């Protein structure tokens, strides 16, 4: 994820700051992060959920270190370096953390092959339908477009929630679908305050499911104080943000 072209708070705060403090020692796995980024939070949730040892490194968005750019030429977070090899893209990292640490529990992918495929299908729905609809709604300036994108988002959420078994997507197991979605649930106050969204209006048990996601311990431990997001999201609400996702939405393309 890119960042706004103005100063942001430089480090994690609140519960996330406590988590960062616990992960400063050198480890085989280095987690390159931007505390503000929902894509980063996906991978961070999995690290905390599964109890994997890692070293946290905050990436300065304005002065990226040469070593970081050498392992990730895109210069985007999240990224990991594991025993000298690098990966990026949030969902790829999440699956790697599942595969590379098979003896760690809980698992974010079910053991049954069919259920595993179902989780991947609905994670794709989150990534390709829900997240872009949320971003289109956030960035839309015209009131009519805002109404259209709000309905688009609500429809995508209803489609998902019809499949939720409760308390999480697949039932008791917290899976990659929940991981992929949770960071946007944590941040949905932005569209609630500025774009007319409400969890109640989605219906179908969405309010209850969203509450389960945002109260998960691994989600709480990777969330910073709301106040420091305000200026970041003000850029998106004015459609001035320069992240790769924001630019893609502005250009009407996927990313």
């Amino acid at each position: 994820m890119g960042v706004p072209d103005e100063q942001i708070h430089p480090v994690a705060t609140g519960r996330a700051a406590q988590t960062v403090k616990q992960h400063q020692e050198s480890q085989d796995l280095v987690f390159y992060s931007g505390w503000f980024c929902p894509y980063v939070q996906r991978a961070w949730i999995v690290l905390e959920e599964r109890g994997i040892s890692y070293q946290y490194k905050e990436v300065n968005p304005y002065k990226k270190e040469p070593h970081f750019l050498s392992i990730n030429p895109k210069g985007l977070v999240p990224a990991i370096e594991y025993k000298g090899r690098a990966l990026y893209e949030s969902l790829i990292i999440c699956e790697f953390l599942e595969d590379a640490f098979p003896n760690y529990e809980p698992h974010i992918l079910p053991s049954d092959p069919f259920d595993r495929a179902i989780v991947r299908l609905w994670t794709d729905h989150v990534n390709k339908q829900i997240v872009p609809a949320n971003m289109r709604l956030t960035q839309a300036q015209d009131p009519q477009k805002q109404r259209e994108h709000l309905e688009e988002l609500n429809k995508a959420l209803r489609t998902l929630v019809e499949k939720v078994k409760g308390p999480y997507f697949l039932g008791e197991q917290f899976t990659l679908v929940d991981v992929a979605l949770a960071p946007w649930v944590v941040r949905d106050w932005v569209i609630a305050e500025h774009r007319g969204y409400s969890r109640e209006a989605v219906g179908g048990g969405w309010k209850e499911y969203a509450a389960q996601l945002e109260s998960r311990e691994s989600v709480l431990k990777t969330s910073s104080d709301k106040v420091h997001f305000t200026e970041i999201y003000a850029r998106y609400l004015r459609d001035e943000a320069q992240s790769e996702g924001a630019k893609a939405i502005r250009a009407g393309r996927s990313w």
Side-chain angles (χ1 to χ4, degrees):
M1 179 181 179
V3 294
D5 56 8
E6 59 187 73
Q7 187 60 46
I8 63 170
H9 194 76
V11 294
T13 56
R15 289 290 304 277
Q18 298 173 31
T19 304
V20 168
K21 189 176 180 179
Q22 295 165 1
H23 293 278
Q24 293 302 298
E25 294 183 4
S26 180
Q27 301 288 344
D28 286 340
L29 192 151
V30 181
F31 178 51
Y32 293 95
S33 177
W35 67 266
F36 51 85
C37 175
Y39 296 98
V40 162
Q41 192 174 13
R42 285 173 166 175
W44 203 1
I45 287 168
V46 176
L47 286 166
E48 286 298 315
E49 187 72 29
R50 306 198 66 223
I52 297 168
S53 297
Y54 65 95
Q55 181 182 11
Y56 181 101
K57 287 192 177 182
E58 186 77 29
V59 175
N60 184 331
Y62 304 105
K63 190 178 180 181
K64 293 167 184 172
E65 296 177 359
H67 178 70
F68 176 68
L69 292 174
S70 74
I71 66 168
N72 182 6
K74 287 187 174 183
L76 302 177
V77 289
I80 62 167
E81 191 173 13
Y82 183 58
K83 298 182 179 179
R85 303 173 72 185
L87 285 174
Y88 45 91
E89 300 293 345
S90 64
L91 294 177
I92 299 237
I93 291 172
C94 289
E95 291 222 24
F96 169 80
L97 295 173
E98 174 77 5
D99 294 339
F101 300 90
N103 297 324
Y104 285 63
E105 294 189 0
H107 293 282
I108 59 163
L109 288 173
S111 57
D112 177 78
F114 195 88
D115 285 343
R116 186 176 285 235
I118 291 294
V119 164
R120 288 188 171 121
L121 278 173
W122 285 98
T123 299
D124 192 62
H125 176 79
V126 171
N127 225 33
K128 293 181 179 177
Q129 302 298 325
I130 294 174
V131 172
N134 185 304
M135 292 188 68
R136 282 190 282 268
L137 173 60
T138 304
Q139 292 178 229
Q141 301 301 295
D142 177 70
Q144 178 59 33
K145 287 293 184 184
Q146 291 175 5
R147 289 190 288 271
E148 291 173 5
H149 293 316
L150 177 58
E151 181 49 39
E152 175 192 13
L153 174 61
N154 285 346
K155 182 179 178 181
L157 293 173
R158 290 184 195 115
T159 300
L160 175 76
V161 82
E162 286 175 359
K163 302 295 182 180
V164 172
K165 294 182 178 180
Y168 301 109
F169 177 79
L170 206 63
E172 292 296 329
Q173 185 179 5
F174 185 77
T175 68
L176 187 59
V177 179
D178 309 301
V179 170
L181 187 56
W184 277 268
V185 170
V186 170
R187 293 160 176 78
D188 69 5
W189 59 268
V190 176
I191 51 176
E193 291 181 6
H194 299 279
R195 293 292 186 262
Y197 161 87
S198 75
R199 293 179 182 178
E200 292 83 358
V202 175
W206 170 251
K207 179 182 176 182
E208 292 76 15
Y209 175 48
Q212 286 289 337
L213 294 181
E214 69 181 359
S215 61
R216 183 83 175 183
E217 181 66 8
S218 58
V219 176
L220 294 171
K221 289 173 68 175
T222 56
S223 295
S224 284
D225 294 334
K226 175 181 171 181
V227 63
H228 298 297
F229 287 94
T230 302
E231 190 51 50
I232 293 173
Y233 279 100
R235 299 287 291 175
Y236 285 86
L237 290 164
R238 296 194 299 267
D239 197 19
E240 296 173 357
Q242 296 303 310
S243 73
E244 293 305 310
K247 288 188 283 188
I249 291 293
R250 200 173 295 124
R253 57 180 170 81
S254 59
W255 71 98

